[in-house]
Amino acid sequence: MGRGDVMNAAPSMLRISSATSMTVDIDATRTEALESLHSADDASGLEDWRINWLGTKGRLKSMMGAMKDLDPSDRPAFGQGMNALKATLEESFAERKSAIDSVPQGPGIDVTEPGLPVGLGRQHIISRTVADILDVFGRMGFTPVTGPEVEDEWHNFTALNVPEAHPAREPVDNFYLAAGGMLRSQTSTVQIRVLEETPPPVRIVAAGRVYRPDTHDATHFSMFHQVEGLLVDRDVTMVDLKSSLLGFAHAYFGPEAEVRMRPSFFPFTEPSAEVDMKMKIKDSWQWVELGGCGMVDPNVLTAVGLDPEEWTGFAFGLGVERIAMRKYGIADIRWLYENDARFLRQF
Ligand code: DAH
């Protein structure tokens, strides 16, 4: 390659071949340098790059060394090109450095410092109680299901054999919604939802929130949880009901627990009973009223299109807060819903 190549080249494309047989391509060098600069993504990568390109023994320095091999008349153009390249690289380096420096690096790590405790959350005691109860009934063959909290009066009352004029429907006792419908006041709604969809035999358990405009005090809250059970099959008797409740009591409260049923009234069961369970509270066994139960009223079966001559069933509804409060010695229901972690993390 002759010197004519050098003469005709643009300043950034000087080729030096006579003595060194080295080719200096300033544009290609710039491209290569900038590409490698942008792949440096931390302080040490950046410093390596600086040493490699701009350092005293770096690539630019050694390219400058080729100057002496050039024809003197070519040197100014080459020098200009190299100066421009150096300025570009220094400027790009400064930009890249400030970009990397502005990424928060966090404090330096002192490996001798004691570790910070990991703030693990935990299940709310009501969620855990619900899960434990569903687990017991699940093992007894009851499938867990859910239903909506915003309901219509058909599912909350009518289909459950609660007549139009029944006091339980009073607006002062329910959250009716301006848009129509209501917040469900009981999980018995799920009995209807399931029976409308599923041909018997059915064996379900439904846990969830219910809403009543009660004045808040130690035992009342406008939202609380119930667990509803429903079994519909042929030839179901109260013995099945009581043995299911007893099976639950034994599994949940211990083998010495007992179940007592006291005659009562619910529109959707006939006969109906209040359910008490004898459980160990601190060191003594006590009867605690936990909810209601009974044999599914024929009118409920009819409402969902089942023949009460063919199908029979039992149902029960238990208050989750009641169970948890007695089991864990919680004196005030409001404490459960204040979101005070100091209280909640005890359980
Ligand atoms: N839904 C009733 C209530 O909220 C509880 C209940 C009673 C549920 C008897 C039942 C039942 O399934 O059979 O007071």
Side-chain angles (χ1 to χ4, degrees):
M1 190 175 295
R3 280 193 40 232
D5 293 320
V6 173
M7 293 295 290
N8 296 331
S12 62
M13 289 285 284
L14 296 174
R15 289 174 172 278
I16 306 156
S17 53
S18 50
T20 61
S21 72
M22 171 186 164
T23 300
V24 178
D25 184 335
I26 292 180
D27 279 342
T29 304
R30 183 188 299 108
T31 304
E32 187 192 341
L34 292 179
E35 256 166 31
S36 123
L37 176 63
H38 284 283
S39 63
D41 52 11
D42 59 14
S44 90
L46 207 59
E47 178 60 6
D48 289 345
W49 183 92
R50 190 192 62 76
I51 292 167
N52 183 37
W53 290 95
L54 299 172
T56 43
K57 291 178 183 155
R59 296 270 299 268
L60 257 53
K61 262 276 156 29
S62 70
M63 282 166 75
M64 287 300 281
M67 173 105 94
K68 62 182 181 335
D69 300 323
L70 288 180
D71 189 275
S73 65
D74 290 328
R75 288 179 190 165
F78 179 70
Q80 258 170 31
M82 285 302 292
N83 283 342
L85 173 62
K86 186 165 180 244
T88 303
L89 294 193
E90 281 172 344
E91 204 177 299
S92 301
F93 172 79
E95 267 170 31
R96 186 79 187 136
K97 185 165 161 48
S98 78
I100 286 176
D101 287 350
S102 71
V103 173
Q105 299 291 310
I109 295 170
D110 175 359
V111 294
T112 66
E113 202 178 315
L116 293 173
V118 177
L120 271 189
R122 70 182 65 213
Q123 241 181 343
H124 191 283
I125 186 57
I126 292 300
S127 304
R128 217 185 70 213
T129 304
V130 164
D132 291 347
I133 296 170
L134 292 181
D135 186 57
V136 171
F137 282 113
R139 280 182 273 140
M140 292 166 62
F142 289 80
T143 304
V145 296
T146 56
E149 291 173 26
V150 174
E151 263 296 2
D152 48 51
E153 292 187 49
W154 167 257
H155 291 94
N156 201 87
F157 294 126
T158 314
L160 286 164
N161 197 35
V162 180
E164 211 63 58
H166 196 281
R169 290 188 175 224
E170 293 278 331
V172 290
D173 289 328
N174 293 282
F175 285 112
Y176 287 103
L177 303 175
M182 61 185 300
L183 300 182
R184 68 179 176 193
S185 64
Q186 51 184 357
T187 48
S188 304
T189 52
V190 185
Q191 295 186 31
I192 304 303
R193 294 218 164 251
V194 167
L195 291 176
E196 282 173 339
E197 298 287 320
T198 324
V202 301
R203 202 192 301 191
I204 57 95
V205 64
R209 298 187 179 106
V210 299
Y211 300 86
R212 293 178 196 176
D214 288 333
T215 304
H216 292 184
D217 62 22
T219 54
H220 294 86
F221 207 75
S222 46
M223 181 281 304
F224 56 99
H225 295 72
Q226 292 184 331
V227 171
E228 190 85 13
L230 172 72
L231 184 149
V232 174
D233 205 334
R234 294 189 168 87
D235 304 321
V236 180
T237 72
M238 270 190 117
V239 174
D240 302 310
L241 169 58
K242 187 157 185 187
S243 47
S244 297
L245 292 171
L246 191 59
F248 165 76
H250 286 167
Y252 190 74
F253 294 115
E256 297 153 274
E258 291 177 48
V259 171
R260 180 168 76 184
M261 284 158 48
R262 288 176 289 115
S264 185
F265 174 82
F266 296 99
F268 31 89
T269 43
E270 182 61 33
S272 303
E274 308 275 338
V275 189
D276 303 339
M277 292 189 188
K278 196 172 193 179
M279 61 176 90
K280 199 169 188 180
I281 296 171
K282 300 217 172 74
D283 285 323
S284 69
W285 286 85
Q286 291 178 28
W287 285 108
V288 179
E289 186 190 319
L290 292 185
C293 67
M295 303 307 291
V296 178
D297 193 290
N299 288 344
V300 171
L301 296 170
T302 307
V304 294
L306 293 176
D307 178 1
E309 296 300 325
E310 184 181 0
W311 298 104
T312 46
F314 68 70
F316 58 85
L318 307 175
V320 176
E321 279 78 358
R322 284 182 184 197
I323 295 175
M325 287 169 71
R326 299 310 286 261
K327 180 166 170 157
Y328 299 101
I330 298 166
D332 194 315
I333 191 173
R334 291 169 293 192
W335 298 341
L336 291 168
Y337 300 114
E338 284 171 349
N339 280 339
D340 185 336
R342 292 168 304 176
F343 170 75
L344 293 174
R345 70 170 158 247
Q346 299 175 89
F347 307 105

